[in-house]
Amino acid sequence: MNHESSLHHPLNPKFTANPWFGPATLLIAGALQTLTFSPFHLWWLGPVSVFLVLSVTLHQTSDKLFRSGWLVGLGLFASGVSWVYVSISEHGNTPIPIAILLMVLFVAGLALFHGLAFWFWGKLAKQHQIRRLILFPAIWILGDWLRGWLLTGFPWLYLGTAHTDGPLGGLAPILGVHGVTFWIAATGAAAYALWWMFRAGRVKAALATAVLILLPWLIAPVLKKADWTELSTEPQTFATMQGNIPQQIKWDPDFLRDQIVTYLGMTEAHWQSDIILWPETAIPIPQGQAGQIIAHIQEQLGEQSTLITGIPWYGYSAQIDDNTFHNSIIAIGNGDGIYHKQKLVPFGEYVPFQEILRGLIGFFDLPMSSFSPGPKNQSPLRASETNVMPYICYEVAYPDFVAFNARHSGLLLTISNDGWFGDSIGPLQHLQIARMRALETGRYMLRGTNNGVTAIINEKGEIAKRIPQFERAVLTGEVFTAHGSTPYMQTGSWPILTLAVTLIVFVRERVIPRN
């Protein structure tokens, strides 16, 4: 290896010589990323985490990179999504040892995506450390994209999501969350390069790199103030009911009537609101059995009012020439439309390999775990003259899915039942993800949940109003419809993914010859 392809290590050799130093650093670096998200909001730890990752991996031989990437992912997901234990153990009626085992398998499995990305990074860049440094941001976002797509995807804990309140948030309406992530990774890599340049006496190159890497950090806050969409001048009144129904009785037939009475009572003073929102499966029986409930709602609603609610839907599907069961949302009153959830949660809404897994443990037999995905390209709901695009629970985590479906809507809404995750950080992360989708699309996002976090999110991704978790309460406010599209809505993530692929080809084949 020639001296131009080798960078000095920035950390004390006394520490790096310890065989536990590398694995520990990678686990900590992964865990630091969790602190960038809600409820911690330490977004500045993103580049710090990347710097620490590179301090260990940049000098490693290619055969060690898979394990190193896996350790980064393990640190991230063990600290960031271990809340799945609550749904497996407390609500899945699964013995604690088995629940812990399933959680560990879930976390370790997700970490494989980081392992694969780092392995690919090593294969592309070989032992050339400068090439590795340049390619790192591209490899990182391609790994993120793969994780959000393969096997239905798990698009959670993207580094860019932390910048709903960070300085790079202004890039989201242009490049989306992957574009923000790219620049976070690039910043960490540049920090490593700057250390080396100053040490090598390359001051001019260091200053040029610093200016280039800091430019988006300075421009993005200005961009966030830009109005990518035009809001209506007249607001619509909005009310959403947070029923705080305990998960233990949610699907108990003895408590179905009490749940409906609860939501009707909470809506009593708000029937005249323009848009009324009940959360996911607030009506916990299929629409074919809920005729009297729906008729009563229609009678109570004001002439200009629309109530939108989650409800299971069972009926004939021409696509498969059979009856199907969907997790759905319908509009009642001065509006119409029905939407069937497309992105289902594995084990929560459907069970993969159910012929084998059903009956083994309670977690594989959760109530309402036999849903089918809805068809693609569904139309928005209509509330009076406003097109409202709904996303049910987990769907709001898919950036390109949300942006594409938002194109013909003036408002976005998401309903959820985060009672599955108890008093963990999961629901707070979920809220932040919804905020990023609002920022990417330049639209209000109305969020109705069973037990929190229920909120009105404006077109800048800011929380305009919210109510506390774990309380029975009504959130009211005014919302504005949006016209037009952000650049990200038009292009999706393709520009930044294309940039990543182009960077890989250009750097690997032309800028730096192969060793």
Side-chain angles (χ1 to χ4, degrees), residues 149-154 325-327 341-355 357-358 363-374 394 398 420:
W149 171 77
L150 191 65
L151 302 176
T152 74
F154 188 74
F325 196 35
H326 296 289
N327 187 356
K341 186 178 182 183
Q342 299 178 56
K343 305 286 189 179
L344 301 181
V345 179
F347 303 106
E349 294 174 312
Y350 78 99
V351 178
F353 312 109
Q354 62 176 343
E355 296 83 2
L357 298 178
R358 290 283 190 190
F363 181 62
F364 297 144
D365 290 291
L366 294 173
M368 298 296 167
S369 60
S370 300
F371 286 125
S372 299
Y394 185 59
Y398 292 82
W420 288 104

Side-chain angles (χ1 to χ4, degrees), residues 46-64:
V48 173
S49 171
V50 171
F51 182 92
L52 290 175
V53 169
L54 290 170
S55 73
V56 174
T57 59
L58 200 65
H59 301 77
Q60 285 184 332
T61 57
S62 299
D63 61 310
K64 294 181 179 179

